[in-house]
Amino acid sequence: LNAASKHQKEETERYERLKEGRAVPATRLSRAFGFASLGVGLAAGTVAGVASRLVAGASSEGSSSQSIVATDANADRLAASLCRMRGAALKLGQMLSIQDESLLPPALSRALKQVRQGADAMPKHQLLTQIESQLGSKWKELLHSFDDVPFAAASIGQVHRATVSNGDTTKRVVMKVQYPGVADSIESDLNNLSMLVTMTGLAPPGLFIEEVIRVGRNELKVECDYMNEMENQR
């Protein structure tokens, strides 16, 4: 690489590095609490939306329950919660975001585009705890270098740059770190989110939410099996 292209490459890599987000809820209880909090927030947002319409003198006749629930504030609240929860919750949100936009309320369609961009990165303390739980307390000895700021993050994990010793040289590798608790909470996440979007009316009948969940469940079980992925790449 010449000096100009090397500088451009370094700048690109620097901007690709993700900012640190909030900790991933790692237990079924904490994840269930997250869904419960989201439900309460959606209900409160709906009440506030109805109240504002009444104050403004708007008539509720002809307004569906879906249009009342799917406000801008509620849609943004849902998107933010899915990005924070990660796991099956975020995966389902991403799948919903690529459905026919004509089936979704405009506010929800707009908010789900944010979900499609990916997840927040784990806080550094949670990242290091997760790696240690899988590779042991001396995991750093297995690597020549490790960048603790990920360059990509998805629904079930994030990806880091690292190097390993290869004789007298070093080899660049990528290290995928799965978010804690996501593999064990697939079923509960999907059930909780399905119940939430059905009860609130955020998912219209034509969306076939049951089929989206079925496909998501199958994909997640495959994606969470990192050992199988490694074997397939050999």
Side-chain angles (χ1 to χ4, degrees):
L1 293 176
N2 58 38
S5 60
K6 182 178 180 180
H7 175 72
Q8 183 178 11
K9 182 174 183 294
E10 289 174 348
E11 285 294 300
T12 300
E13 291 181 350
R14 181 168 64 88
Y15 284 110
E16 283 178 347
R17 292 153 63 96
L18 300 180
K19 292 183 179 180
E20 186 175 294
R22 296 174 63 181
V24 180
T27 65
R28 290 187 182 183
L29 180 61
S30 62
R31 296 185 74 79
F33 180 77
F35 283 110
S37 298
L38 173 59
V40 171
L42 292 176
T46 301
V47 171
V50 171
S52 65
R53 290 188 182 191
L54 293 175
V55 171
S59 172
S60 61
E61 294 183 10
S63 296
S64 66
S65 60
Q66 184 186 87
S67 66
I68 294 174
V69 174
T71 62
D72 286 338
N74 269 351
D76 289 337
R77 187 175 288 111
L78 175 65
S81 294
L82 297 183
C83 289
R84 181 177 59 84
M85 296 284 287
R86 287 86 143 187
L90 179 58
K91 177 71 173 182
L92 185 58
Q94 290 172 336
M95 293 183 69
L96 290 175
S97 74
I98 60 175
Q99 302 301 308
D100 186 351
E101 290 189 1
S102 65
L103 297 176
L104 297 172
L108 183 59
S109 177
R110 175 191 57 77
L112 286 177
K113 288 180 180 179
Q114 303 172 25
V115 173
R116 202 183 309 168
Q117 302 305 314
D120 298 330
M122 282 186 282
K124 184 176 179 180
H125 69 85
Q126 188 175 42
L127 165 68
L128 299 180
T129 299
Q130 178 67 351
I131 296 176
E132 185 172 324
S133 71
Q134 300 297 309
L135 300 180
S137 59
K138 298 182 179 181
W139 64 271
K140 288 186 177 180
E141 296 179 6
L142 303 174
L143 305 172
H144 181 267
S145 68
F146 175 75
D147 186 352
D148 57 24
V149 180
F151 67 88
S155 56
I156 64 169
Q158 57 193 50
V159 189
H160 296 257
R161 294 183 175 88
T163 58
V164 294
S165 296
N166 185 20
D168 295 331
T169 61
T170 58
K171 179 180 179 181
R172 288 185 176 183
V173 297
V174 293
M175 186 167 170
K176 296 180 67 174
V177 183
Q178 192 170 118
Y179 302 132
V182 297
D184 296 329
S185 61
I186 293 175
E187 291 295 335
S188 58
D189 271 13
L190 292 176
N191 290 337
N192 286 329
L193 192 57
S194 173
M195 179 175 64
L196 187 62
V197 297
T198 301
M199 291 179 64
T200 58
L202 282 171
L207 195 59
F208 301 109
I209 188 66
E210 293 83 3
E211 180 62 16
V212 175
I213 288 176
R214 184 191 67 79
V215 174
R217 178 184 292 110
N218 293 338
E219 289 186 3
L220 280 163
K221 288 181 178 179
V222 173
E223 291 175 6
C224 284
D225 191 346
Y226 282 5
M227 296 300 294
N228 181 64
E229 179 182 348
M230 181 178 67
E231 290 296 327
N232 290 337
Q233 291 181 350
R234 287 182 174 177

